[in-house]
């Protein structure tokens, strides 16, 4: 824990890191993300999830983007990512455009951080200044991806510990979980909740069972936010207060526990959720980056140079 905090305080990211070396960077990312979301609104959530899964495994270093090869094992086939992590092609497209404008300058890790921010903003959420200067990892860890990314089955104490291990508070956990105001979840990750749990609104459980049978249909999708799954708003928290959290890990945030009051606040104060979410995303984005001469600037986000 101490080494992690020392690491993240020593390695300083800079808000305008590419101001001189790649002045068109933010415009390129915004343009490409606008196209991607116009093509499929869900991609904003998918890329936000990629960023979260990147940062929770050895920091925000672009390691999640690396493909497995005959000599290299990446993180894409770790349990939390296999057949569910998506949006890699969008990152590839953005990287290609960025390379055309400023070659061998901008890291894939920074492109992912900017893309996640833009996805949130383009779906109606807040914006924030992304600190930049991350470099790309030459390594990845499938085992860390398996062990350090929170699970949809986790209880509150486990989630709290996993976030604390990354220097994030229980309040950060609650506000960052609000990312589930957008996106979809797979049946295999909420089946137990809709069939076995009691702290769930009955008609909601019944409606979810229609597309998530007791067996089979593992990859069938349901919205994480019942009301507006492609709008970044505070309806996720309204769902939690109504016992309509899709995952076990969602509903534990409002289940007579330590986070109930914050969930209640966010459910009635969307502006506070937005501003707190932006601040927590900046904090998340600063988890142990590679800076200076550490790591590299990958030419292809899928492969080490």
């Amino acid at each position: 824990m101490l080494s992690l905090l020392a690491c993240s305080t020593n390695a300083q990211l800079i808000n305008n890191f590419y101001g001189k070396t790649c002045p068109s960077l933010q415009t390129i990312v915004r343009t490409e993300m606008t196209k991607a979301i116009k093509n499929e609104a869900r991609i904003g959530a998918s890329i936000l999830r990629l960023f979260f899964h990147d940062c929770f495994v050895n920091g925000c270093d672009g390691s999640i983007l690396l493909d497995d090869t005959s000599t290299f094992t990446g993180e894409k086939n770790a349990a939390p990512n296999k057949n569910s992590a998506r949006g890699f092609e969008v990152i590839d497209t953005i990287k290609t455009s960025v390379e055309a404008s400023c070659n061998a300058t901008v890291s894939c890790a920074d492109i992912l951080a900017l893309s996640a921010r833009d996805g949130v903003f383009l779906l109606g959420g807040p914006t924030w200044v992304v600190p930049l200067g991350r470099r790309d990892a030459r390594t990845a860890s499938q085992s860390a991806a398996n062990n350090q990314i929170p699970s949809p089955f986790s209880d509150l104490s486990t989630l709290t510990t996993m976030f604390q291990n990354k220097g994030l508070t229980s309040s950060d956990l609650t506000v960052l979980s609000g990312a589930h105001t957008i996106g979809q979840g797979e049946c295999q990750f909420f089946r137990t909740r809709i069939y076995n749990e009691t702290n769930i609104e009955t008609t909601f459980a019944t409606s979810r069972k229609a597309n998530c049978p007791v067996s089979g249909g593992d990859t069938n999708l349901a919205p994480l936010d019942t009301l507006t799954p492609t709008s970044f708003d505070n309806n996720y928290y309204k769902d939690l207060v109504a016992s309509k959290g899709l995952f076990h890990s969602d509903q534990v945030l409002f289940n007579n526990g330590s986070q109930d009051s914050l969930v209640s606040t966010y459910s009635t104060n969307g502006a506070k959720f937005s501003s707190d979410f932006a601040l927590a995303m900046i904090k998340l984005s600063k988890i142990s980056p590679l800076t200076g001469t550490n790591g590299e600037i990958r030419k292809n986000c899928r492969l080490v140079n």
Side-chain angles (χ1 to χ4, degrees), residues 72-87:
F72 183 90
T73 304
E75 296 162 14
K76 291 184 179 181
N77 284 306
N81 296 328
K82 191 178 173 76
N83 300 324
S84 68
R86 60 197 299 277

Side-chain angles (χ1 to χ4, degrees), residues 71-224:
T71 54
F72 183 90
T73 304
E75 296 162 14
K76 291 184 179 181
N77 284 306
N81 296 328
K82 191 178 173 76
N83 300 324
S84 68
R86 60 197 299 277
F88 298 109
E89 297 77 13
V90 173
I91 301 302
D92 291 338
T93 301
I94 298 171
K95 174 66 169 172
T96 300
S97 295
V98 170
E99 286 297 306
S101 193
C102 352
N103 80 303
T105 304
V106 181
S107 66
C108 298
D110 277 344
I111 287 172
L112 182 55
L114 289 168
S115 301
R117 188 270 313 266
D118 282 0
V120 168
F121 175 71
L122 290 164
L123 292 174
T127 190
W128 56 92
V129 176
V130 178
L132 298 167
R134 298 167 195 78
R135 286 166 65 86
D136 294 321
R138 294 190 183 95
T139 58
S141 176
Q142 191 179 78
S143 62
N146 278 322
N147 294 310
Q148 294 176 25
I149 294 172
S151 149
F153 305 108
S154 299
D155 57 28
L156 184 56
S157 59
T158 302
L159 292 169
T160 303
T161 301
M162 292 181 101
F163 273 69
Q164 280 174 345
N165 289 343
K166 304 297 173 188
L168 299 169
T169 65
S170 53
S171 299
D172 293 328
L173 158 66
T174 299
V175 71
L176 289 170
S177 294
H180 287 180
T181 177
I182 51 174
Q184 306 277 321
E186 293 185 357
C187 166
Q188 60 184 322
F189 300 130
F190 62 83
R191 181 183 282 118
T192 312
R193 170 145 170 77
I194 62 174
Y195 286 99
N196 298 1
E197 296 186 7
T198 52
N199 59 339
I200 187 165
E201 201 270 332
T202 318
T203 53
F204 168 70
T206 304
S207 68
R208 287 293 163 263
K209 287 173 184 174
N211 196 38
C212 184
V214 176
S215 65
D218 280 1
T219 58
N220 291 1
L221 297 172
L224 287 156

Side-chain angles (χ1 to χ4, degrees), residues 210-246:
N211 196 38
C212 184
V214 176
S215 65
D218 280 1
T219 58
N220 291 1
L221 297 172
L224 287 156
D225 166 335
T226 63
L227 299 161
T228 52
T230 57
S231 293
F232 199 97
D233 54 30
N234 67 331
N235 282 337
Y236 167 80
Y237 298 101
K238 294 179 184 177
D239 278 341
L240 297 187
V241 170
S243 302
K244 294 179 184 178
L246 187 65

Side-chain angles (χ1 to χ4, degrees), residues 49 51 163 166 178 196 262 289-290 296:
R49 182 172 183 256
F51 180 62
F163 273 69
K166 304 297 173 188
N196 298 1
L262 188 54
L290 295 168
E296 65 184 17

